[in-house]
Amino acid sequence: MKRALAASTLAFWAFALCVELRAQGPAAPGNRLPPEKGGFTLKVDVSMVLVEATVRDDKGRIANDLKREDFRVLEDGVEQQITYFSRDELPLAVALVVDGSSSISPVLPELHHAAYDTLSQLKPEDQVALYAFAAHPERLVDLTTDRKSIADSIMGIGSAGGTNIADALHEAIDYLGQEAHDRRHAVIMISDNQPTAKGEFNGDDVIRLALETQTIVYSVRFGGDRLEGTVDEPGWIPGARWVNRIMLETGGEIIDMAAVGSAQKAIAAVIARLKQRYTLGYQSSNTRRDRAFRAIDVRLSDRAQDSKHPYRIFARHGYYPALESAPPSKPSP
């Protein structure tokens, strides 16, 4: 799996560089090989790191007019030079992961009606897969651009016992990493966020895989009256608090269905955030070839700061560099 993850990450970096080179015009002679039929091949520097960020003010409004010079990125405390910058240019691969335990029954019809309209807000080329989980995860629909097939399949989700969140997220994240090499990865989990069953993986496994595959995890939470960050930990499920922590570590958020008023508004809020994320790329100044965790800190520059209306940045907190090399991807013409 490590080889596949490394290839996935490198292919994603290569795709991002292709987008930038196309935007800048013809590549320099040393950067592009002779064109082949149906596309071209790039020489890619494997130290490119991509990090996505959402910026909101103190009233929760998205800051959507920021430029490259408005951002700073630090890796392990060292300033990095941002060499790639875009907004919703790279295509998405989204895994919709739906809690199929008995707690889903009250919101399932509403979720079915909300899914098509909200997912249709994605770009036509963006892909979505559907998972359901109770004691075990099951992929119901492979990655597709057919929004209706996703919505219709939601109604086939039954109500079973047990809530194995860790295995469900791990399987969905791994699938995106394996099958969507040249896309941004996002998981939208719809659940009450209360794990009641243990499986093969734990919270730390899920967080590490999400960081390795550059996957953002969002939670649309239903049921109960708990506020964000206060989900109780069942005494017999060690580490259940990671269900909240994974959103923080990967740069996602928890959207409470009751707080925003409906399933449709909650999912729409997540889609809006995915479409309004900035993508920042830099060539890491750390040339060590190891698998040690590297912390990422995304900040706003002094010119972009507003002391009266401070901003909050949602971005992943770090990554694990890939050791293995892989051939660069060849983009479509």
Side-chain angles (χ1 to χ4, degrees), residues 5-263:
L5 290 174
S8 170
T9 303
L10 291 170
F12 184 49
W13 293 336
F15 185 82
L17 287 174
C18 293
V19 173
E20 183 177 34
L21 287 172
R22 285 177 174 176
Q24 293 176 350
N31 290 339
R32 189 167 68 176
L33 298 176
E36 301 176 6
K37 185 176 181 180
F40 60 89
T41 302
L42 289 174
K43 292 180 180 178
V44 178
D45 186 336
V46 299
S47 63
M48 171 67 75
V49 179
L50 293 177
V51 56
E52 295 184 65
T54 299
V55 184
R56 302 218 316 260
D57 65 17
D58 58 344
K59 298 185 182 300
R61 297 172 298 201
I62 299 289
N64 55 17
D65 57 352
L66 298 175
K67 301 176 175 59
R68 182 192 309 222
E69 56 267 26
D70 293 324
F71 287 93
R72 298 175 60 203
V73 177
L74 286 76
E75 181 179 298
D76 289 336
V78 178
E79 187 94 22
Q80 305 293 314
Q81 181 181 1
I82 299 173
T83 56
Y84 175 80
F85 179 85
S86 72
R87 181 98 181 267
D88 196 32
E89 290 181 10
L90 303 181
L92 270 167
V94 179
L96 191 63
V97 180
V98 181
D99 188 336
S101 64
S102 56
S103 57
I104 190 68
S105 298
V107 299
L108 201 57
E110 181 187 359
L111 183 61
H112 163 67
H113 291 299
Y116 179 77
D117 289 340
T118 53
L119 294 177
S120 294
Q121 297 173 22
L122 294 168
K123 293 184 296 186
E125 65 269 27
D126 291 338
Q127 296 179 337
V128 183
L130 177 64
Y131 279 83
F133 71 95
H136 305 282
E138 178 184 5
R139 187 169 70 248
L140 302 180
V141 182
D142 291 346
L143 282 168
T144 179
T145 57
D146 184 353
R147 317 297 189 228
K148 188 175 186 299
S149 69
I150 299 292
D152 289 346
S153 296
I154 287 175
M155 284 309 295
I157 298 175
S159 296
T163 306
N164 184 353
I165 292 177
D167 282 10
L169 288 179
H170 195 279
E171 183 167 320
I173 292 167
D174 185 50
Y175 174 70
L176 295 180
Q178 300 282 353
E179 301 297 329
H181 298 165
D182 57 354
R183 294 172 178 267
R184 294 183 292 152
H185 303 157
V187 169
I188 304 174
M189 180 177 69
I190 301 173
S191 173
D192 60 5
N193 290 9
Q194 299 181 54
T196 62
K198 292 188 290 186
E200 181 179 357
F201 301 100
N202 59 35
D204 289 337
D205 295 328
V206 174
I207 291 171
R208 177 162 188 138
L209 184 62
L211 294 179
E212 286 180 338
T213 58
Q214 304 185 53
T215 303
I216 305 158
V217 182
Y218 283 89
S219 165
V220 171
R221 187 174 58 198
F222 62 82
D225 56 358
R226 297 178 175 88
L227 299 176
E228 181 173 341
T230 63
V231 172
D232 294 335
E233 178 179 352
W236 51 279
I237 303 289
R241 289 192 179 92
W242 68 267
V243 178
N244 283 5
R245 185 162 62 89
I246 190 173
M247 320 306 163
L248 178 67
E249 296 289 338
T250 65
E253 299 176 59
I254 298 175
I255 310 296
D256 193 282
M257 197 179 296
V260 298
S262 68

